[in-house]
Amino acid sequence: MDEVKQIVSDIKNGNIKPIYFLMGEEPYYIDKISEYIDKNVLAEEEKGFNQMVLYGRDVTIDDIVSNAKRYPMMAERQVVIVKEAQDLSRTIEKLADYAENPQMTTVLVVCYKYKKIDKRKKLYKIVAKNGVIYESKKLYENQVADWIRRVLAGSKYTIDPKASQMLVEFLGTDLNKINNELEKLKLIIPKGQPITADQIEENIGISKEFNNFELRKAIGTRDIVKAHRIINYFAQNPKDNPLVVTISLLYSFFSQVLQYHGLADKSQRSVASALKINPYFVSDYSDASRNYPMKKVSQIIALLREADVKSKGVGAASLPPGDILKELLVKIMG
């Protein structure tokens, strides 16, 4: 995020490079940077003759270079944006010759999503020298809640830890999907008012009571009644609560509980840092460690692996997902 801010700040200050090569697994920031250039480098009256969008599936590298070498008409610069440039992955290295001597009155933006070019090859080295290379890396799940907090802080909003955890659980690590939901919330919730779990439930449709986060907490505190209530809800709504996701999240949780057992310093700050979690959730791991000794946690991890195999149809082809989860819960809490 800081690198993106720097790129935008440089453009605002007139430090505009002739080539922006935007690549990587996470498309969100690739779109954000290209959209910013699209909207802000040229004045509206200059765009008709001097701004164009090309698509990788429809053009060749020669077409891109030909357009990039044109001179602007009645403007200081022209902008050429190549979207879905990953469709040119077999020939993308040919762009190196242009990058070596780019047209300084052209701003060429290459959006190379879900892939990255080889850092050892000429194109990467030349663009890094004469332009900007930005690699947009996929966030790990434990990084997304902090990303949500930072994005909202930029718009003068705050969010409760549980609410952000609900978003991550429901939407995963897809930043575009998460941002879309945040934009909806910002239309409804006044600035300065924290976004809560209740508001997530009311406006996005994620249950604050029947979700994997609450199941994890119920199992950690050995609240058998609540855990059974949640898995019964999951069994009745399997499409909204895929078994593979539930098992994956429980596996992650108990792996971290095992790690918690091995920590010498169990202060809130130290645990949050070691487990890479929000300090707000440290008590969940403390509770689980009291209820599940290290040996039991190791057994639970083995049970989760077994359930994962069953969820994929190995050795339990006729067993419904809800039954696999119920059987798993009995074994964990038995």
Side-chain angles (χ1 to χ4, degrees), residues 255-266:
S255 296
Q256 288 173 305
V257 173
L258 191 63
Q259 189 180 350
Y260 179 93
H261 272 296
L263 294 176
D265 182 356
K266 291 186 169 63

Side-chain angles (χ1 to χ4, degrees), residues 53-289:
V53 176
L54 308 174
Y55 288 86
R57 65 178 177 272
D58 300 327
V59 297
T60 64
I61 297 298
D62 288 341
D63 295 331
I64 295 169
V65 171
S66 176
N67 280 291
K69 284 187 173 180
R70 288 193 315 116
Y71 285 96
M73 294 180 64
M74 297 176 289
E76 185 181 347
R77 295 183 179 87
Q78 70 157 345
V79 174
V80 178
I81 299 174
V82 186
K83 296 190 174 183
E84 311 302 336
Q86 66 273 11
D87 289 339
L88 293 163
S89 60
R90 291 182 180 179
T91 56
I92 195 68
E93 277 296 318
K94 290 182 180 179
L95 194 59
D97 290 338
Y98 172 79
E100 203 158 21
N101 187 27
Q103 185 81 5
M104 298 308 290
T105 53
T106 294
V107 180
L108 175 61
V109 183
V110 181
C111 303
Y112 198 79
K113 294 180 179 178
Y114 313 112
K115 294 183 178 182
K116 55 185 178 180
I117 54 175
D118 193 331
K119 295 180 181 181
R120 298 166 297 180
K121 292 189 176 179
K122 184 179 179 181
L123 177 60
Y124 182 93
K125 293 175 181 176
I126 292 296
V127 175
K129 179 182 176 184
N130 294 334
V132 171
I133 283 195
Y134 170 70
E135 183 179 347
S136 186
K137 296 178 181 178
K138 201 84 175 170
L139 293 185
Y140 293 112
E141 193 168 291
N142 61 16
Q143 297 174 310
V144 179
D146 185 57
W147 179 86
I148 292 171
R149 182 189 61 76
R150 294 179 69 187
V151 166
L152 288 172
S155 304
K156 311 297 183 189
Y157 283 90
T158 59
I159 186 167
D160 292 347
K162 181 178 176 180
S164 62
Q165 192 69 32
M166 286 168 65
L167 285 172
V168 175
E169 183 197 314
F170 189 70
L171 300 170
T173 59
D174 189 323
L175 301 189
N176 274 313
K177 283 184 181 178
I178 294 171
N179 188 65
N180 288 340
E181 297 302 336
L182 293 179
E183 290 300 318
K184 292 175 191 174
L185 289 169
K186 285 193 279 187
L187 292 173
I188 301 163
I189 301 166
K191 283 186 181 180
Q193 182 180 324
I195 297 170
T196 65
D198 286 336
Q199 289 163 334
I200 297 289
E201 183 175 46
E202 289 168 16
N203 298 295
I204 299 180
I206 307 170
S207 172
K208 69 172 183 178
E209 296 296 333
F210 300 104
N211 57 62
N212 284 309
F213 171 74
E214 289 298 325
L215 176 61
R216 186 189 79 178
K217 191 165 186 175
I219 292 173
T221 57
R222 296 192 68 84
D223 187 338
I224 298 174
V225 173
K226 184 176 181 179
H228 274 288
R229 212 164 46 228
I230 293 170
I231 64 167
N232 285 332
Y233 177 85
F234 284 6
Q236 292 164 13
N237 301 273
K239 288 185 179 179
D240 295 332
N241 304 279
L243 177 59
V244 65
V245 174
T246 299
I247 291 173
S248 174
L249 290 170
L250 288 176
Y251 182 87
S252 176
F253 175 64
F254 278 103
S255 296
Q256 288 173 305
V257 173
L258 191 63
Q259 189 180 350
Y260 179 93
H261 272 296
L263 294 176
D265 182 356
K266 291 186 169 63
S267 65
Q268 186 185 57
R269 193 173 189 176
S270 178
V271 171
S273 175
L275 301 187
K276 296 181 173 58
I277 59 172
N278 188 305
Y280 177 85
F281 298 112
V282 168
S283 62
D284 293 354
Y285 295 87
S286 175
D287 291 341
S289 71

Side-chain angles (χ1 to χ4, degrees), residues 29 34-35 45 75 84 108 121 205 261 282 294 318-319 323:
Y29 282 118
S34 64
E35 284 170 13
E45 62 272 15
E84 311 302 336
L108 175 61
K121 292 189 176 179
H261 272 296
V282 168
M294 188 179 284
S318 60
L319 204 57
D323 289 351

Side-chain angles (χ1 to χ4, degrees), residues 36-50:
Y36 183 82
I37 292 172
D38 183 357
K39 291 177 181 177
N40 294 281
V41 169
L42 298 180
E44 283 301 320
E45 62 272 15
E46 296 174 329
K47 291 180 181 178
F49 291 112
N50 298 293

